[in-house]
Amino acid sequence: MIHNLGLQNTLFNQFLSELRDEHIQKDRMRFRKNLQRIGEIFAYEISKTMNYETREVQTLLGTKIMNLLAEQPVICSILRAAVPLHEGLLSYFDHADNGFISAYRKHKKNGEITIRMDYVASPEIDNRELILCDPMLATGSSMLVSYQTLCELGKPRHTHIVTIVAHQEAIDYLHKNIPSRDFTLWVGAIDEELTSQSYIVPGLGDAGDLAFGPKIQN
């Protein structure tokens, strides 16, 4: 199942438009804040699909039966661009366990692109709800490698893949390689074009560089 929040008339699109705007992008703090805000909206929408249980809450004047999350999810982000998005998700799922994974595209001189995995830190994910986030989903390769690496540590009950801007090629790639029953895709927009270097157009640029500054290419 795919949930495209950008198709709804909400403030989500205001924050997304500011992420795309080349003038507003120059303010790194605002860029990171908008990533965080979008993460919060994703968290709220994802929470509607989760399991709840009734619990008794004691107030100063009495008790109240309320429906609360039966279990907190595990939030895992792909470094480094997803850190502000992760913060937004965590600000709503504030009792969640957290994981971090380094998976990125390595461009070779002959034009070949490989996925390099350097670091994985994850809590127990077996039979738990996993939220795996990265702002951009261009080819889906980094996301798939990250998902498969985490599944070697345990099998999530269900995985919510969260991305802000995706390309249809990446969506098709994930559906080809992950059983549909095992994951839900949450996106903010599906853009039309993918360059030969696998950059989404119009996209928004390099989310990591815009949030934290340019990196040395190696």
Side-chain angles (χ1 to χ4, degrees):
M1 182 176 291
I2 301 175
H3 294 277
N4 188 342
L5 300 192
L7 298 179
Q8 306 171 21
N9 291 325
T10 70
L11 281 173
F12 182 95
N13 280 327
Q14 176 64 41
F15 303 145
L16 178 54
S17 71
E18 293 184 8
L19 286 178
R20 291 189 189 269
D21 191 306
E22 62 179 340
H23 302 293
I24 299 176
Q25 284 180 348
K26 296 175 182 178
D27 185 343
R28 290 182 192 170
M29 184 171 68
R30 188 168 185 84
F31 188 85
R32 292 192 300 271
K33 182 63 177 178
N34 282 327
L35 286 175
Q36 183 178 349
R37 286 168 163 174
I38 283 178
E40 292 171 350
I41 295 174
F42 274 126
Y44 180 75
E45 294 297 325
I46 291 171
S47 74
K48 297 177 183 179
T49 71
M50 293 184 164
N51 296 324
Y52 286 76
E53 62 185 15
T54 57
R55 298 181 197 168
E56 185 178 275
V57 178
Q58 181 69 47
T59 77
L60 290 174
L61 301 176
T63 60
K64 180 67 177 179
I65 301 297
M66 301 190 68
N67 291 331
L68 302 176
L69 274 179
E71 180 188 44
Q72 289 288 328
V74 175
I75 304 171
C76 187
S77 61
I78 300 176
L79 301 174
R80 64 181 169 146
V83 171
L85 183 60
H86 185 117
E87 290 177 350
L89 291 160
L90 185 59
S91 69
Y92 275 32
F93 293 115
D94 54 322
H95 296 292
D97 290 331
N98 296 266
F100 300 90
I101 189 165
S102 173
Y104 59 94
R105 294 183 298 185
K106 185 76 172 179
H107 294 264
K108 296 185 177 180
K109 292 182 179 180
N110 62 3
E112 182 183 353
I113 299 175
T114 60
I115 304 302
R116 182 167 176 174
M117 179 76 63
D118 285 345
Y119 175 81
V120 180
S122 174
E124 177 62 55
I125 63 171
D126 196 52
N127 199 35
R128 298 182 65 183
E129 298 246 359
L130 172 66
I131 301 175
L132 180 57
C133 66
D134 197 14
M136 308 296 287
L137 191 67
T139 67
S141 298
S142 296
M143 184 65 76
L144 180 63
V145 169
S146 299
Y147 173 78
Q148 291 174 336
T149 300
L150 289 169
C151 285
E152 292 175 2
L153 305 176
K155 178 63 175 176
R157 183 168 60 251
H158 192 77
T159 299
H160 301 272
I161 294 177
V162 174
T163 190
I164 297 174
V165 180
H167 186 264
Q168 188 62 48
E169 177 181 313
I171 296 172
D172 295 340
Y173 183 72
L174 292 181
H175 278 289
K176 181 180 178 181
N177 290 280
I178 306 174
S180 297
R181 66 180 180 276
D182 290 344
F183 81 104
T184 301
L185 182 61
W186 300 82
V187 302
I190 301 173
D191 283 2
E192 302 80 17
E193 185 180 341
L194 197 65
T195 70
S196 58
Q197 291 79 34
S198 297
Y199 290 106
I200 302 174
V201 178
L204 52 83
D206 189 308
D209 286 358
L210 291 167
F212 301 111
K215 58 186 176 296
I216 298 175
Q217 300 291 339
N218 53 36

